[in-house]
Amino acid sequence: KMLGRVLCTVLFVGAFPSPAEASQGHISVVLLGATGDLAKKYLWQGLFQLYMDQVSSGHSFTFHGAALAALEPGQRLMFDVLKKLSCPPDEAPNRCAVLKDQFLKLSQYHQLKTAENYTALSREIETLLRQEGLKEAGRIFYFSVPPFAYTEIARHINSSCRPPAGAWLRVVLEKPFGHDLQSAQQLAAELAGFFREEEMYRVDHYLGKQAVAHILPFRDQNRQFLDPIWNRHHVERVEVVLKETVDAKGRTSFYEQYGVIRDVLQNHLTEALMFLIMELPANVSSAHDVVQHKLQAFQSLWGLERSSAVLGQYQAYDGQVQEELQEARGYVSTTPTFAGVLIHSDSLRWEGVPFLLTSGKALDERVGYARVLFRNRAYCTQSGALRDAGHSQCKPKQIIFHFGHGALNTPAVLVSRNLFQPVMPKDSWKEAEARSDLQLFGQPLSDFYMYSPVKERDAYSVLISHIYHGRKDFFITTENLLASWAFWTPLLDSTSRQPPRLYPGGVENQHLLDFEMVSGGVAFTLAEPAQLLNPGGQTPSDFRAIHSKFRQSPLVSAWAEDLISQLASDVEEAAVRSVARSGQFHLALSGGSSPVVLFQRLARHHYGFPWKHTHVWLVDERCVPLTDSESNFLGLHRHLLQHVRVPYFNIHPMPVHLNRRLCVEEDGGAQLYAQDIAALVANASFDLVLLGVGTDGHTASLFPRSESGLDGAPTVVLTESPVKPHQRMSLSLPLINRARQVFVLVLGKGKHDITTLLSRVGHEPRKWPISGVSPSSGQLVWYVDYEALLG
């Protein structure tokens, strides 16, 4: 009996409890992709560390390496790796030798290719435990395989290899989890068909790095010091950085699909940022509470646009792609290998504080850190020499979570001595000796309280231990994953055609990749070098306008971001003209997703907008409470109104919620809104109405064959939508047509078919309500992006 013999040996060397205590059950660990690079470099060592740590825990273990290779070659490859496993320096040599020998005996290789292979593995585990008289505690399946294989493996595990009732299942998934929001949603939906959320452990190995893992505990244990200063009044900026000296050679097939933003920023750096800026839950060890606070932090972030990032690519990358992927000699890639991204939050705590995320390959040093730099409010009268001699309040004040490498070459937490002496857990962190020969951000280490781990641990060893203990707070939940992709995907889409700046690599980069914050975005500080990367195809700057007319009215067309920029400028120009003419500007705005980017643009870039003299009205509203996520007013508030200074009495939400009821005709909400318009807007003629277009040709909340609102009096009506929420309130078509100007915004490939149709049909509002928009003033302008216009 193999397992019995191993247990006896371990008992003999005193590494295992007495048999009476050894009753917690057996754990089977299955490593899929057992002969791959990640398994060789980190995972087997992490599993061996788990065995060393837990051999006395009362659990027994077996380790099953699995891959597609046949038994004999796969077994040989796997055991070549296992023979090279090592113990930590503080492990006694004889104990290490015994445990390593036992670990090898408890490990075996399996070819897992078919459903039958998974069934056979499950039977083998059950037979072994029956022979040994052991109860099964659970099974861990570690997916160290490409994501395209996840679904098939998940199906086999679910149908053929689940543990029996009473035992747990833990499935460990490695990134990448999709390459944008849509693919991540698809993968998440597929996996949800086989596993429950609590069974899935998505790994971001940065959450296993000791300095990253300590951000939340540090904030929790130092609340007394941080509560007064961890906010926009005291923090100047936050930086999260990962620099690498290596390039992508040997990984270009992966890198061409993903690039630096998907590889590093969307996951590692975003997770570290969330730990820094999320509101602290009462219990930082509660996985549920941590996730909910992270999601709230995601909700507070401003959407990213093209100007939020600077992108670079090291010069040798194209040649490496041509060589490794057999691309033609003239092939030019636009995949970024460097990115600097500026992020903002609209939360009360962080509004106005820039968050800078930066990562790249072929840079001048290898280092990773998160740095919180505080505003310096002090004025010091002493000379520079005296100032440097002590811990002057005029010196920079910062807290640094140093992930590793760099000059320190160790994980560390550093706090400026002119801030406070932090509380640190003595069992896991020790105060480090300040080396006089080292500096960090231009300051000697003696300017900091510096702490390093009592025992350094590899990130994967830490995470594998957390999987064993069922610590879900160190892993990425589905909600967390999708929130991150929802945040990053718009930037990835808007920069997909953007040529990155070329840089030579290493110290030769000099200042080429330095960037600065400009007008709510970022830009390189040095002008573009003479050598430019031309992707060969047409870029946004190659186009300005395709046609001058659409449905006999002026047409403005460009790529989405350029189009929104032009539209925002035109709205501001209309506002300035109106205020000069009449002293006020009455603006009616539509809901939906299309105008969100316009709202954000107006909030961030148009500081000369006459908001003080602007009245904001709604074109339509869903019949839900104004605090409901479906409410058009809530979207308008979130993306525009809370960022600009519109007088409170100039904001006019539609009264859909009266007498604790929603859109009941007897409550007269529509009539009340019409009366307000008549009382405040001269001739009930808005200065500007912004409309969108639905794929069925509806506009505002006026739908094909609507019973009201398409003709008759210029008023406000209740309508029915074919999709939920069905009840709506809307300006009528005759009221819209009284406006001085109407702008129609149409964005995205999904609107191409209706755009093409509208270019051919006449005035038929009962079929296509948007075709009935024809302001009596004659001022109608269409803003249509290239994707909607050209498909």
Side-chain angles (χ1 to χ4, degrees), residues 302-303 305 346 351 519-520 564 568 571-572 595-609 611 635-646:
W302 288 16
E305 51 192 46
D346 61 21
E351 187 177 19
S519 304
I564 293 298
V571 172
E572 181 176 352
V596 166
V597 282
L598 171 66
F599 299 160
Q600 292 172 340
R601 180 86 195 177
L602 288 169
R604 298 179 195 180
H605 299 281
H606 290 263
Y607 299 107
F609 200 104
W611 293 114
L636 179 62
H637 169 74
R638 181 174 287 159
H639 298 293
L640 177 64
L641 296 179
Q642 68 176 342
H643 305 296
V644 296
R645 293 182 179 174
V646 181

Short mmCIF file of all heavy atoms in Angstrom, two decimals, residues 302-303 305 346 351 519-520 564 568 571-572 595-609 611 635-646:
data_model
loop_
_atom_site.label_atom_id
_atom_site.label_comp_id
_atom_site.label_asym_id
_atom_site.label_seq_id
_atom_site.Cartn_x
_atom_site.Cartn_y
_atom_site.Cartn_z
N TRP A 302 -13.49 56.92 -13.59
CA TRP A 302 -13.89 57.53 -14.86
C TRP A 302 -13.58 56.55 -15.98
O TRP A 302 -12.59 55.82 -15.93
CB TRP A 302 -13.08 58.80 -15.11
CG TRP A 302 -13.41 59.97 -14.27
CD1 TRP A 302 -14.12 59.96 -13.10
CD2 TRP A 302 -13.02 61.32 -14.50
NE1 TRP A 302 -14.21 61.23 -12.60
CE2 TRP A 302 -13.55 62.09 -13.44
CE3 TRP A 302 -12.30 61.96 -15.50
CZ2 TRP A 302 -13.35 63.46 -13.35
CZ3 TRP A 302 -12.11 63.33 -15.42
CH2 TRP A 302 -12.63 64.07 -14.36
N GLY A 303 -14.40 56.57 -17.02
CA GLY A 303 -14.11 55.74 -18.19
C GLY A 303 -12.82 56.18 -18.85
O GLY A 303 -12.47 57.37 -18.86
N GLU A 305 -10.29 56.79 -22.09
CA GLU A 305 -10.38 57.12 -23.51
C GLU A 305 -8.96 57.14 -24.06
O GLU A 305 -7.99 56.93 -23.34
CB GLU A 305 -11.08 58.45 -23.73
CG GLU A 305 -10.54 59.58 -22.89
CD GLU A 305 -11.44 60.80 -22.90
OE1 GLU A 305 -12.67 60.67 -22.75
OE2 GLU A 305 -10.90 61.91 -23.08
N ASP A 346 -14.18 59.37 -9.24
CA ASP A 346 -15.05 60.48 -8.82
C ASP A 346 -15.56 60.29 -7.39
O ASP A 346 -16.49 60.95 -6.97
CB ASP A 346 -16.22 60.66 -9.80
CG ASP A 346 -17.11 59.43 -9.88
OD1 ASP A 346 -17.10 58.60 -8.94
OD2 ASP A 346 -17.83 59.28 -10.89
N GLU A 351 -11.45 62.11 -5.56
CA GLU A 351 -11.70 63.00 -6.70
C GLU A 351 -10.53 63.96 -6.91
O GLU A 351 -10.07 64.62 -5.98
CB GLU A 351 -12.99 63.80 -6.46
CG GLU A 351 -13.39 64.63 -7.67
CD GLU A 351 -14.70 65.37 -7.45
OE1 GLU A 351 -15.11 65.53 -6.27
OE2 GLU A 351 -15.31 65.77 -8.43
N SER A 519 -4.28 68.14 -19.79
CA SER A 519 -5.70 68.28 -20.15
C SER A 519 -6.52 67.03 -19.84
O SER A 519 -7.28 66.55 -20.68
CB SER A 519 -5.84 68.61 -21.64
OG SER A 519 -5.11 69.76 -21.97
N GLY A 520 -6.34 66.50 -18.66
CA GLY A 520 -7.14 65.35 -18.25
C GLY A 520 -6.66 64.03 -18.80
O GLY A 520 -7.23 62.98 -18.51
N ILE A 564 -16.69 62.41 -31.01
CA ILE A 564 -17.18 62.91 -29.72
C ILE A 564 -16.51 64.23 -29.36
O ILE A 564 -17.13 65.15 -28.84
CB ILE A 564 -16.93 61.85 -28.61
CG1 ILE A 564 -17.82 60.61 -28.85
CG2 ILE A 564 -17.19 62.43 -27.23
CD1 ILE A 564 -19.31 60.89 -28.79
N ALA A 568 -18.67 67.54 -28.72
CA ALA A 568 -18.58 68.29 -27.46
C ALA A 568 -18.24 69.75 -27.72
O ALA A 568 -18.82 70.66 -27.11
CB ALA A 568 -17.53 67.65 -26.56
N VAL A 571 -21.37 71.44 -29.05
CA VAL A 571 -22.35 71.69 -27.99
C VAL A 571 -21.93 72.92 -27.18
O VAL A 571 -22.75 73.79 -26.87
CB VAL A 571 -22.50 70.46 -27.06
CG1 VAL A 571 -23.36 70.78 -25.85
CG2 VAL A 571 -23.10 69.28 -27.83
N GLU A 572 -20.63 72.99 -26.84
CA GLU A 572 -20.15 74.16 -26.09
C GLU A 572 -20.35 75.45 -26.89
O GLU A 572 -20.78 76.48 -26.35
CB GLU A 572 -18.68 74.00 -25.71
CG GLU A 572 -18.18 75.19 -24.91
CD GLU A 572 -16.74 75.05 -24.42
OE1 GLU A 572 -16.16 73.96 -24.56
OE2 GLU A 572 -16.21 76.05 -23.90
N PRO A 595 -24.57 58.52 -25.44
CA PRO A 595 -24.10 59.84 -24.99
C PRO A 595 -23.16 59.83 -23.80
O PRO A 595 -22.62 60.88 -23.44
CB PRO A 595 -25.40 60.57 -24.64
CG PRO A 595 -26.41 59.53 -24.38
CD PRO A 595 -26.00 58.34 -25.17
N VAL A 596 -22.93 58.67 -23.17
CA VAL A 596 -22.08 58.62 -21.98
C VAL A 596 -20.70 59.20 -22.27
O VAL A 596 -20.16 60.00 -21.50
CB VAL A 596 -21.96 57.17 -21.44
CG1 VAL A 596 -20.83 57.05 -20.43
CG2 VAL A 596 -23.28 56.74 -20.80
N VAL A 597 -20.10 58.82 -23.42
CA VAL A 597 -18.75 59.31 -23.73
C VAL A 597 -18.77 60.82 -23.97
O VAL A 597 -17.80 61.52 -23.66
CB VAL A 597 -18.15 58.57 -24.95
CG1 VAL A 597 -17.66 57.21 -24.54
CG2 VAL A 597 -19.14 58.46 -26.10
N LEU A 598 -19.89 61.32 -24.50
CA LEU A 598 -20.02 62.77 -24.66
C LEU A 598 -20.08 63.46 -23.30
O LEU A 598 -19.41 64.48 -23.07
CB LEU A 598 -21.27 63.11 -25.48
CG LEU A 598 -21.62 64.61 -25.53
CD1 LEU A 598 -20.55 65.38 -26.30
CD2 LEU A 598 -23.00 64.83 -26.14
N PHE A 599 -20.88 62.92 -22.39
CA PHE A 599 -20.99 63.50 -21.05
C PHE A 599 -19.61 63.56 -20.39
O PHE A 599 -19.22 64.57 -19.79
CB PHE A 599 -21.94 62.69 -20.17
CG PHE A 599 -23.36 62.61 -20.68
CD1 PHE A 599 -24.20 61.60 -20.24
CD2 PHE A 599 -23.85 63.53 -21.61
CE1 PHE A 599 -25.51 61.50 -20.69
CE2 PHE A 599 -25.16 63.45 -22.07
CZ PHE A 599 -25.99 62.43 -21.61
N GLN A 600 -18.85 62.45 -20.51
CA GLN A 600 -17.53 62.40 -19.89
C GLN A 600 -16.59 63.43 -20.51
O GLN A 600 -15.80 64.07 -19.83
CB GLN A 600 -16.96 60.98 -20.01
CG GLN A 600 -17.72 59.96 -19.18
CD GLN A 600 -17.28 58.53 -19.46
OE1 GLN A 600 -16.69 58.25 -20.50
NE2 GLN A 600 -17.59 57.63 -18.55
N ARG A 601 -16.69 63.59 -21.83
CA ARG A 601 -15.84 64.55 -22.53
C ARG A 601 -16.16 65.98 -22.06
O ARG A 601 -15.25 66.78 -21.79
CB ARG A 601 -16.08 64.43 -24.03
CG ARG A 601 -15.26 65.37 -24.88
CD ARG A 601 -13.91 64.81 -25.20
NE ARG A 601 -13.01 65.84 -25.70
CZ ARG A 601 -11.74 65.62 -26.01
NH1 ARG A 601 -11.21 64.43 -25.84
NH2 ARG A 601 -10.97 66.59 -26.45
N LEU A 602 -17.44 66.30 -21.97
CA LEU A 602 -17.84 67.63 -21.51
C LEU A 602 -17.34 67.89 -20.09
O LEU A 602 -16.88 68.99 -19.77
CB LEU A 602 -19.36 67.78 -21.57
CG LEU A 602 -19.98 67.89 -22.97
CD1 LEU A 602 -21.50 67.76 -22.89
CD2 LEU A 602 -19.59 69.19 -23.64
N ALA A 603 -17.41 66.86 -19.23
CA ALA A 603 -17.01 67.03 -17.83
C ALA A 603 -15.51 67.24 -17.69
O ALA A 603 -15.06 68.01 -16.84
CB ALA A 603 -17.46 65.81 -17.02
N ARG A 604 -14.72 66.57 -18.55
CA ARG A 604 -13.27 66.55 -18.34
C ARG A 604 -12.51 67.61 -19.12
O ARG A 604 -11.40 67.98 -18.74
CB ARG A 604 -12.72 65.18 -18.74
CG ARG A 604 -13.26 64.06 -17.93
CD ARG A 604 -12.68 62.75 -18.43
NE ARG A 604 -13.43 61.62 -17.91
CZ ARG A 604 -13.14 60.37 -18.18
NH1 ARG A 604 -12.13 60.09 -18.96
NH2 ARG A 604 -13.86 59.39 -17.68
N HIS A 605 -13.06 68.04 -20.25
CA HIS A 605 -12.25 68.86 -21.16
C HIS A 605 -12.82 70.24 -21.42
O HIS A 605 -12.13 71.08 -22.00
CB HIS A 605 -12.08 68.13 -22.49
CG HIS A 605 -11.37 66.83 -22.38
ND1 HIS A 605 -9.99 66.73 -22.28
CD2 HIS A 605 -11.83 65.55 -22.33
CE1 HIS A 605 -9.64 65.46 -22.18
NE2 HIS A 605 -10.74 64.73 -22.21
N HIS A 606 -14.06 70.52 -21.04
CA HIS A 606 -14.69 71.78 -21.46
C HIS A 606 -14.94 72.69 -20.25
O HIS A 606 -16.06 72.89 -19.80
CB HIS A 606 -15.98 71.48 -22.23
CG HIS A 606 -15.69 70.88 -23.57
ND1 HIS A 606 -15.64 71.62 -24.74
CD2 HIS A 606 -15.36 69.61 -23.93
CE1 HIS A 606 -15.32 70.83 -25.74
NE2 HIS A 606 -15.14 69.61 -25.28
N TYR A 607 -13.82 73.25 -19.77
CA TYR A 607 -13.89 74.07 -18.57
C TYR A 607 -14.47 75.46 -18.85
O TYR A 607 -14.82 76.19 -17.93
CB TYR A 607 -12.49 74.18 -17.94
CG TYR A 607 -11.95 72.83 -17.52
CD1 TYR A 607 -10.92 72.22 -18.24
CD2 TYR A 607 -12.50 72.14 -16.44
CE1 TYR A 607 -10.44 70.96 -17.88
CE2 TYR A 607 -12.03 70.89 -16.07
CZ TYR A 607 -11.01 70.31 -16.80
OH TYR A 607 -10.54 69.07 -16.44
N GLY A 608 -14.57 75.81 -20.14
CA GLY A 608 -15.17 77.09 -20.48
C GLY A 608 -16.67 77.02 -20.73
O GLY A 608 -17.29 78.02 -21.10
N PHE A 609 -17.26 75.86 -20.51
CA PHE A 609 -18.69 75.68 -20.77
C PHE A 609 -19.51 76.53 -19.77
O PHE A 609 -19.23 76.50 -18.57
CB PHE A 609 -19.06 74.20 -20.61
CG PHE A 609 -20.35 73.81 -21.29
CD1 PHE A 609 -20.33 73.12 -22.47
CD2 PHE A 609 -21.59 74.15 -20.74
CE1 PHE A 609 -21.52 72.75 -23.12
CE2 PHE A 609 -22.77 73.79 -21.36
CZ PHE A 609 -22.73 73.09 -22.56
N TRP A 611 -21.86 76.47 -17.68
CA TRP A 611 -22.80 75.63 -16.90
C TRP A 611 -23.69 76.49 -15.98
O TRP A 611 -24.85 76.15 -15.72
CB TRP A 611 -22.03 74.61 -16.06
CG TRP A 611 -21.33 73.57 -16.88
CD1 TRP A 611 -19.99 73.39 -17.02
CD2 TRP A 611 -21.95 72.57 -17.71
NE1 TRP A 611 -19.72 72.34 -17.87
CE2 TRP A 611 -20.92 71.81 -18.29
CE3 TRP A 611 -23.27 72.24 -18.01
CZ2 TRP A 611 -21.16 70.75 -19.17
CZ3 TRP A 611 -23.52 71.18 -18.88
CH2 TRP A 611 -22.47 70.45 -19.45
N GLY A 635 -27.70 58.02 -14.88
CA GLY A 635 -26.54 57.99 -15.78
C GLY A 635 -26.02 59.38 -16.08
O GLY A 635 -24.81 59.63 -16.09
N LEU A 636 -26.94 60.32 -16.31
CA LEU A 636 -26.56 61.72 -16.57
C LEU A 636 -25.86 62.31 -15.35
O LEU A 636 -24.84 63.00 -15.47
CB LEU A 636 -27.82 62.51 -16.92
CG LEU A 636 -27.67 64.00 -17.20
CD1 LEU A 636 -26.77 64.24 -18.40
CD2 LEU A 636 -29.03 64.65 -17.40
N HIS A 637 -26.40 62.04 -14.17
CA HIS A 637 -25.79 62.53 -12.93
C HIS A 637 -24.40 61.95 -12.74
O HIS A 637 -23.44 62.68 -12.43
CB HIS A 637 -26.67 62.14 -11.74
CG HIS A 637 -26.02 62.36 -10.41
ND1 HIS A 637 -25.83 63.60 -9.87
CD2 HIS A 637 -25.46 61.48 -9.54
CE1 HIS A 637 -25.20 63.48 -8.70
NE2 HIS A 637 -24.97 62.21 -8.50
N ARG A 638 -24.28 60.64 -12.95
CA ARG A 638 -23.01 59.94 -12.67
C ARG A 638 -21.91 60.41 -13.61
O ARG A 638 -20.76 60.59 -13.20
CB ARG A 638 -23.24 58.43 -12.81
CG ARG A 638 -22.02 57.58 -12.52
CD ARG A 638 -22.38 56.11 -12.54
NE ARG A 638 -23.15 55.73 -11.37
CZ ARG A 638 -23.91 54.65 -11.30
NH1 ARG A 638 -24.05 53.87 -12.35
NH2 ARG A 638 -24.57 54.35 -10.19
N HIS A 639 -22.23 60.60 -14.89
CA HIS A 639 -21.19 60.89 -15.88
C HIS A 639 -21.00 62.37 -16.17
O HIS A 639 -19.99 62.74 -16.76
CB HIS A 639 -21.49 60.13 -17.17
CG HIS A 639 -21.51 58.65 -17.01
ND1 HIS A 639 -20.38 57.92 -16.71
CD2 HIS A 639 -22.53 57.75 -17.05
CE1 HIS A 639 -20.69 56.64 -16.59
NE2 HIS A 639 -21.98 56.51 -16.79
N LEU A 640 -21.97 63.22 -15.78
CA LEU A 640 -21.83 64.64 -16.11
C LEU A 640 -22.15 65.55 -14.93
O LEU A 640 -21.31 66.31 -14.47
CB LEU A 640 -22.75 64.98 -17.30
CG LEU A 640 -22.76 66.46 -17.71
CD1 LEU A 640 -21.39 66.90 -18.20
CD2 LEU A 640 -23.81 66.70 -18.79
N LEU A 641 -23.39 65.49 -14.42
CA LEU A 641 -23.87 66.52 -13.49
C LEU A 641 -23.04 66.64 -12.22
O LEU A 641 -22.81 67.75 -11.73
CB LEU A 641 -25.34 66.27 -13.14
CG LEU A 641 -26.32 66.36 -14.31
CD1 LEU A 641 -27.74 66.07 -13.84
CD2 LEU A 641 -26.25 67.74 -14.96
N GLN A 642 -22.55 65.50 -11.68
CA GLN A 642 -21.80 65.61 -10.43
C GLN A 642 -20.39 66.17 -10.63
O GLN A 642 -19.70 66.49 -9.68
CB GLN A 642 -21.74 64.25 -9.73
CG GLN A 642 -20.92 63.19 -10.45
CD GLN A 642 -20.83 61.91 -9.63
OE1 GLN A 642 -21.09 61.90 -8.44
NE2 GLN A 642 -20.48 60.82 -10.29
N HIS A 643 -19.98 66.31 -11.92
CA HIS A 643 -18.63 66.80 -12.20
C HIS A 643 -18.61 68.27 -12.62
O HIS A 643 -17.54 68.84 -12.79
CB HIS A 643 -17.98 65.97 -13.30
CG HIS A 643 -17.97 64.51 -13.01
ND1 HIS A 643 -17.27 63.97 -11.96
CD2 HIS A 643 -18.58 63.47 -13.63
CE1 HIS A 643 -17.46 62.65 -11.94
NE2 HIS A 643 -18.25 62.34 -12.93
N VAL A 644 -19.78 68.86 -12.86
CA VAL A 644 -19.82 70.24 -13.33
C VAL A 644 -20.70 71.06 -12.39
O VAL A 644 -21.46 70.51 -11.60
CB VAL A 644 -20.35 70.32 -14.78
CG1 VAL A 644 -19.41 69.62 -15.74
CG2 VAL A 644 -21.76 69.72 -14.90
N ARG A 645 -20.61 72.37 -12.52
CA ARG A 645 -21.33 73.25 -11.58
C ARG A 645 -22.59 73.82 -12.23
O ARG A 645 -22.62 74.98 -12.63
CB ARG A 645 -20.40 74.34 -11.09
CG ARG A 645 -19.29 73.78 -10.21
CD ARG A 645 -18.39 74.85 -9.67
NE ARG A 645 -17.35 74.27 -8.81
CZ ARG A 645 -16.36 74.96 -8.28
NH1 ARG A 645 -16.26 76.26 -8.52
NH2 ARG A 645 -15.45 74.38 -7.53
N VAL A 646 -23.60 72.97 -12.35
CA VAL A 646 -24.90 73.43 -12.81
C VAL A 646 -25.72 73.80 -11.57
O VAL A 646 -25.81 73.00 -10.63
CB VAL A 646 -25.64 72.31 -13.59
CG1 VAL A 646 -26.99 72.81 -14.09
CG2 VAL A 646 -24.80 71.82 -14.76
#
